[in-house]
Amino acid sequence: GLIVVDEAHETSFKQEEGKAISGTFEGPQGEVPLKGEFADGKLSFTLEITVENGPIQLTFTGQLADGKLAGAFTTPMGEIAWTAERAKE
């Protein structure tokens, strides 16, 4: 389902076979594919975006609690906290 990270970023993913997920991440750099896994309330996925200096890989990890996801993503410049919840229909 669609989750909203903040006003500038949306992530949409679906559960594949078993733990695998696939989807898209949409932000200022456009829409990019993602792959990862979701199991036992834990989410992890990676994606690659292109910035002025070239492509960088982002690794997201998070935990589901009270219907919301929270975690951090790792960039070449360090970790950044994030939260997300299912988009309102």
Side-chain angles (χ1 to χ4, degrees):
L2 177 67
I3 58 173
V4 177
V5 178
D6 58 37
E7 291 181 10
H9 302 89
E10 289 187 354
T11 304
S12 177
F13 62 87
K14 64 180 180 176
Q15 191 93 30
E16 300 286 346
E17 298 267 333
K19 300 176 185 180
I21 61 166
S22 64
T24 58
F25 176 85
E26 187 175 334
Q29 292 81 16
E31 188 174 289
V32 296
L34 66 86
K35 289 196 180 283
E37 69 177 44
F38 181 75
D40 302 322
K42 295 180 182 176
L43 174 70
S44 65
F45 63 89
T46 59
L47 55 94
E48 187 174 279
I49 61 171
T50 302
V51 295
E52 289 180 15
N53 298 331
I56 60 170
Q57 185 169 324
L58 304 177
T59 301
F60 286 72
T61 57
Q63 179 78 34
L64 180 65
D66 299 323
K68 296 182 181 182
L69 288 164
F73 67 94
T74 305
T75 74
M77 297 163 281
E79 274 195 1
I80 299 171
W82 62 271
T83 60
E85 61 184 82
R86 188 176 301 274
K88 309 275 188 270
E89 299 276 333

